[in-house]
Amino acid sequence: MKTKSRTEAKKLAKAYSYNKEYADVPVYIIYCNRSEKYYVDTNSLIQSWERLIGYCINGVFTPEKQNNNIKK
């Protein structure tokens, strides 16, 4: 699923993670620089133009730690 906002993506990931099909499975939130959209998926494969925002497991959101050594 893709969304336009980070808040909407977090809500969607949390809803998916409560689903019995996705119990104990991480639901990832990924931001795409090209499309400027957020993607919610269980596949953690990230392309070079994408960035992992965080993930939900059983309704608990865990933000991805940012590497301070990367220049923006």
Side-chain angles (χ1 to χ4, degrees):
M1 300 292 297
K2 68 179 156 178
T3 65
K4 293 183 179 183
S5 74
R6 185 178 186 154
T7 306
E8 190 176 342
K10 284 175 73 173
K11 287 180 185 178
L12 186 60
K14 190 172 188 175
Y16 269 112
S17 70
Y18 280 134
N19 189 336
K20 290 181 182 179
E21 290 180 36
Y22 299 107
D24 299 326
V25 175
V27 179
Y28 298 97
I29 302 169
I30 300 168
Y31 177 72
C32 179
N33 292 328
R34 287 185 176 178
S35 65
E36 297 182 350
K37 297 199 187 287
Y38 293 88
Y39 293 88
V40 176
D41 197 0
T42 56
N43 184 355
S44 64
L45 179 65
I46 298 175
Q47 304 293 330
S48 61
W49 58 85
E50 297 176 337
R51 178 172 55 109
L52 180 64
I53 302 299
Y55 57 92
C56 280
I57 299 178
N58 297 328
V60 177
F61 176 74
T62 304
E64 182 63 24
K65 293 180 182 175
Q66 297 298 320
N67 188 348
N68 293 334
N69 297 331
I70 298 174
K71 294 182 181 179
K72 293 183 180 180

